[in-house]
């Protein structure tokens, strides 16, 4: 099956998928915010996706929007490609993790299914991309994990960072300079009970790092 989608249609499907991971539906405002697009353009794209055969989204004006089964499969296919490409760029082409997101966004629309399968095989059907995002397998199943948000870790607990759910390049560059990346160990030294800032000790060198709640909810860890 080839992905007969424009880049912007694909961006919408991935955005709706992400925004409905822990809730039943999303809406035009949330999508406008996520995609940085004005609400009227969102509405016309949603109508377009709803009118495809088969329909890719369930959408009624002033109601929530959600992916149909067909839309969800396409979103997962795109995420598989995107994440395989990110890992390929880092592992094989020596890219830095902060530079792969935009590159993969372009490439996911031009590679063939054969190319996708070849890079998956070359990398032994990997389960996670360089940011720790799960890669759907060939049947579009996601690996199960027991990661928790760093924000929920107990004081004095030690953990391994497994996922950094950030796509902004500058922020990723900053985090890796502080040793914050998948595979790194950390210890939670203390939590400020008023603003939830965490004081961490990171890596072999126990580098101190303070992190606020906005970011500590985007970083996922496995407890040791
Ligand atoms: Zn990624």
């Amino acid at each position: 099956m080839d992905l007969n989608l424009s880049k912007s249609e694909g961006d919408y499907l991935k955005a709706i998928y992400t925004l409905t991971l822990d809730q039943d539906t999303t809406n035009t405002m949330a999508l406008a915010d996520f995609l940085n697009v004005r609400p009227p353009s969102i509405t016309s794209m949603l109508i377009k996706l709803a009118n495809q055969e088969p329909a890719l989204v369930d959408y009624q004006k002033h109601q929530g929007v959600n992916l149909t089964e067909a839309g969800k499969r396409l979103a997962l296919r795109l995420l598989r490609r995107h994440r395989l490409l990110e890992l390929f760029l880092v592992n094989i082409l020596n890219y830095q993790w902060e530079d792969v997101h935009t590159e993969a966004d372009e490439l996911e629309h031009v590679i063939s299914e054969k190319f996708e399968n070849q890079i998956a095989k070359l990398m032994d059907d990997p389960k996670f991309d360089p940011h720790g995002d799960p890669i759907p397998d060939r049947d579009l199943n996601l690996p199960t994990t027991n990661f928790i948000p760093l924000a929920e870790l107990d004081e004095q607990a030690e953990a391994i960072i497994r996922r950094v759910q950030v796509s902004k390049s500058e922020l990723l560059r900053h985090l890796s300079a502080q040793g914050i990346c998948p595979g790194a160990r950390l210890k939670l030294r203390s939590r400020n009970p008023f603003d939830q800032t965490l004081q961490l000790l990171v890596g072999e060198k126990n580098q101190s790092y303070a992190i606020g709640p906005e970011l500590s909810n985007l970083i996922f860890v496995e407890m040791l």
Side-chain angles (χ1 to χ4, degrees), residues 85-104 129-131 166-170 172-177 181-182:
L85 282 162
E86 285 193 346
L87 193 67
F88 177 75
L89 290 167
V90 168
N91 284 5
I92 315 288
L93 301 185
N94 298 323
Y95 274 66
Q96 300 296 311
W97 77 333
E98 66 261 27
D99 297 328
V100 293
H101 185 75
T102 7
E103 199 89 73
D129 83 1
H131 312 104
V166 166
S167 52
K168 266 203 198 105
S169 301
E170 309 82 66
L172 285 169
R173 197 173 307 125
H174 163 78
L175 289 171
S176 52
C181 54

Side-chain angles (χ1 to χ4, degrees), residues 62-113:
H62 307 302
Q63 313 242 330
V65 54
N66 206 343
L67 294 175
T68 60
E69 213 37 58
K72 189 176 171 197
R73 285 189 65 80
L74 270 177
L76 283 166
R77 296 256 358 231
L78 272 176
L79 284 173
R80 172 171 163 80
R81 279 198 176 178
H82 184 94
R83 293 173 179 173
L84 282 170
L85 282 162
E86 285 193 346
L87 193 67
F88 177 75
L89 290 167
V90 168
N91 284 5
I92 315 288
L93 301 185
N94 298 323
Y95 274 66
Q96 300 296 311
W97 77 333
E98 66 261 27
D99 297 328
V100 293
H101 185 75
T102 7
E103 199 89 73
D105 258 350
E106 299 294 329
L107 289 170
E108 69 193 29
H109 293 282
V110 294
I111 66 167
S112 65
E113 194 169 358

Side-chain angles (χ1 to χ4, degrees), residues 6 11 27 29 43 46 72 81 94 97 109 127 134 136 161 164 173 180 184 195 209-211 222:
S6 71
D11 288 344
N27 56 54
M29 287 314 286
T43 307
L46 291 177
K72 189 176 171 197
R81 279 198 176 178
N94 298 323
W97 77 333
H109 293 282
K127 291 191 163 41
I161 300 173
V164 178
R173 197 173 307 125
I180 307 275
D195 66 5
Y209 186 64
I211 191 167
E222 185 176 3

